Amino acid sequence: YVGPRAYLFDQDEIRIVLAEEAATEALYGIFRQQLVYAHRRLIERLGPSIGAAPIVSVAYDPNSERPGIKGSVDRSFIALTVTGFQLSEFSSMAEGELLTLVTHEVFHLWNGIDRRRGQSPPPTWLVEGGAEYVSVLMASSGARRTVEIENRLNRCLVAIGPRSIRSSALASQGRTPYACGAVVMMLADA
């Protein structure tokens, strides 16, 4: 990392790098708790991930016209981008929603292993669906978990209808692999 020391935070086993000067402390405070919680819970359940301890980059663009949070993972590097929110709106976002996203991205440290070993990548619905399912299990419980799983089932049904997830090109487009893959994981876990 090359940049101001004030943008770099070490929290236990995770290093968080903030890409923006604005709201440094606020963004760190919002993400730190969820990142550490998700990482520790996954280590407890799955053992250590393959590779180095994660580095998390958090970028912030409040002026974007499209509010959202996007995450991506490459080996042990997690990038989280917050767009279109003022910090007051973002910090009041439902904790469960933020924890679901963070857990989803952290889980990729475990389920992206095949791609790092030079093997053919698994289907998108399997990688994204697995991360989605685990994130729902860890970030919700009771009635909220039921609603989250039903939402994914409904999105999958609308997207691919009666077609097979394995043969449908739709299963790898947009949010469909997340929803349909989570449903497959839920059925496999039942």
Side-chain angles (χ1 to χ4, degrees):
Y1 169 70
V2 177
R5 175 69 181 116
Y7 293 8
L8 179 64
F9 298 88
D10 282 313
Q11 177 65 41
D12 301 316
E13 64 278 354
I14 296 177
R15 179 166 286 170
I16 301 174
V17 179
L18 299 174
E20 308 295 330
E21 180 179 3
T24 301
E25 291 293 327
L27 277 176
Y28 170 72
I30 290 167
F31 281 105
R32 180 191 61 78
Q33 182 178 358
Q34 283 85 3
L35 285 163
V36 170
Y37 173 80
H39 193 246
R40 285 183 183 164
R41 291 265 326 261
L42 287 166
I43 287 173
E44 287 170 11
R45 294 177 185 271
L46 304 173
S49 64
I50 302 295
I55 298 172
V56 182
S57 168
V58 179
Y60 175 57
D61 179 7
N63 300 317
S64 174
E65 293 180 14
R66 298 176 65 179
I69 309 168
K70 182 165 177 49
S72 63
V73 176
D74 184 15
R75 295 193 176 108
S76 61
F77 182 78
I78 301 171
L80 300 170
T81 305
V82 179
T83 59
F85 288 102
Q86 295 306 312
L87 275 180
S88 58
E89 298 172 300
F90 181 68
S91 60
S92 65
M93 176 185 244
E95 266 190 42
E97 186 177 343
L98 186 57
L99 182 57
T100 300
L101 169 86
V102 167
T103 304
H104 175 103
E105 298 306 335
V106 172
F107 184 72
H108 282 310
L109 299 175
W110 280 265
N111 80 345
I113 293 168
D114 290 339
R115 289 179 279 168
R116 292 195 296 261
R117 292 189 180 153
Q119 299 173 0
S120 297
T124 303
W125 62 264
L126 184 60
V127 173
E128 296 301 344
E132 193 74 358
Y133 181 61
V134 167
S135 68
V136 168
L137 289 180
M138 285 183 54
S140 61
S141 61
R144 182 169 177 268
R145 180 181 291 167
T146 301
V147 167
E148 293 291 332
I149 291 171
E150 286 174 351
N151 285 343
R152 283 154 181 83
L153 175 60
N154 290 334
R155 279 187 263 156
C156 182
L157 289 170
V158 167
I160 67 171
R163 296 175 291 264
S164 166
I165 191 172
R166 292 184 0 214
S167 64
S168 176
L170 295 171
S172 62
Q173 295 177 358
R175 299 291 302 169
T176 303
Y178 297 77
C180 294
V183 170
V184 171
M185 297 300 143
M186 176 192 66
L187 293 171
D189 198 26

